[in-house]
Amino acid sequence: MRCRVCGVVGVRPFLDLGKMPLSDGLVRPENLQGPELTFALEVAFCPNCAMVQILQDVAQEVLFPEDYPYFSSFSDQLLAHSRRHALNLVETRSLSGDSLVVELASNDGYLLQNFVELGVPVLGIDPAPAQVKAANDKGVRSICRFFGLELAEELLAGGTGQAEVIIANNVCAHVPDLNGFVAGMKALLAPGGLITIENPYVRDLIDHCEFDTIYHEHLFYHSCTGIARLMERHGLHLNHVEYFAELHGGTLRYHVSHQAGRTPELEAYLADEAATGVDSFRYYEGFAQRVEQLRVDLRALLSSLRAQGRTVAAYGAAAKGSTMLNYVGIDGDLVSFVVDRNTHKQGLHMPGTHQPILGVDALVEQRPDFTLILAWNFKEEIMGQQRGYTEAGGQWIVPVPHPEVIAS
Ligand code: JHZ
Ligand code: ZN
């Protein structure tokens, strides 16, 4: 099989999750009886460019339909993280009313709104119409398009100047033509400009068994080595990296520019990836077995609770939640409903396993004995908001790195 990025034949599969529904394909009540699309889902490593990737392609219009339900603004932690990033960029890059900040996958304006507040011109680019509308409604100038070299050239030809800062958060996993995407960033970046890219770190995925972050929307799973090689191929340079342990299970922020040069922090990450083998196949061998063990353990935990007559619900109709429910085989008998703050998800049902998605008040109203936190990346924030449930005796289960009931 050919690598999606470097084109070399010989990517090596290391995990097969079987046939899975689309993780964000939440089901409307009227479609519950109808057929549901499922697609194979296998993950592989490219020994040539170190890019971890899935083997299957689902058409973009199927993956990202008009009613794509993910809105970034439902997490206070993410909003705070984004605000810090924006304020820091305004200061360190001396951004002003003459600058331009472009965000790729700008969603509902969760990040760019901070620049707007400070009078820094922005352009958000995102293919999801409802999210783009929400952004424009709050004064964040955004266009509804997929980004790539073509759009970059169209913007430049249309009079949009080059950007001092380009931000691409949680999107480099989603783009099939990653080369075209990076070429577009290069074209759009001012000579002294900065690109920042955030993505969950593949090392955390493997080390902490975060297999549920694997789904059809995520074509790539990134490392410093992979990003460095990708940038080099396009004449860009990875200069620096920052790590956020709490964000999406461990996130790296890559700093990229037209100028060569690596900070000691980046050198340390690259050396560490070489030493641990993140840049070689052996690191990924054995992962499938650990994932299978997690499936067995989580099923056993939930089955034994149910056998004792305990009730179990779940928190977070996250995309990763769908992978977890479907791979582990958690149906409505094991977990009866899922709650989520995102009002666009409420009233719908989980893909494949079909639990109804309710508002978060259902936890206190129905008081399940246990709640499985599918959005485990936000567990502190979630448990913090749900003290009433905990005080009423509700208990929490986290599924990764291994399933456990958390003492509260
Ligand atoms: P969340 C997202 O994946 C989207 P998902 C995307 N697929 C991506 O690439 C990764 O992030 C990195 C809800 N919630 O963001 C909101 C509450 O209800 O972890 C969400 O529905 N109450 C593009 O979908 C879900 O949980 C809360 O207090 O796997 C979290 O989904 C909080 C904090 C969240 O990821
Ligand atoms: Zn490759």
Side-chain angles (χ1 to χ4, degrees), residues 24 68 70 74-76 170 174 200 215 217-218 248 315-321 339-342 345 360 375 377-378 381-382 385:
D24 274 314
Y68 181 67
Y70 177 72
F74 285 99
S75 160
D76 298 339
N170 294 310
H174 299 69
Y215 40 88
E217 277 171 51
H218 287 170
H248 292 304
Y315 193 116
K320 66 175 74 63
V339 299
D340 199 289
R341 270 220 295 205
N342 180 342
K345 296 184 177 181
V360 294
N377 45 320
F378 293 124
E381 181 173 344
I382 288 169
Q385 284 163 20

Side-chain angles (χ1 to χ4, degrees), residues 39 46 53 79 83-84 91 100 114 135 140 166 211 214 230 293 314 341 344-345 366 392 395 398:
F39 302 87
C46 174
Q53 53 200 281
L79 289 173
R83 183 167 176 81
R84 276 193 298 277
E91 202 181 307
L100 175 63
N114 297 293
V140 176
I166 298 178
F211 77 91
I214 298 168
L230 173 67
Q293 189 60 51
R341 270 220 295 205
H344 304 269
K345 296 184 177 181
Q366 304 200 27
Q395 297 191 66
V398 282

Side-chain angles (χ1 to χ4, degrees), residues 370-390:
F370 290 84
T371 298
L372 171 66
I373 307 186
L374 294 170
W376 45 260
N377 45 320
F378 293 124
K379 62 177 185 285
E380 272 85 22
E381 181 173 344
I382 288 169
M383 290 190 294
Q385 284 163 20
Q386 293 295 325
R387 283 200 201 89
Y389 169 72
T390 314

Side-chain angles (χ1 to χ4, degrees), residues 79 82-83 85-86 103 106 109-115 167 169:
L79 289 173
S82 307
R83 183 167 176 81
H85 185 34
E103 189 186 8
S106 45
Y110 73 103
L111 171 77
L112 289 180
Q113 61 190 357
N114 297 293
F115 294 100
I167 302 170
N169 289 346

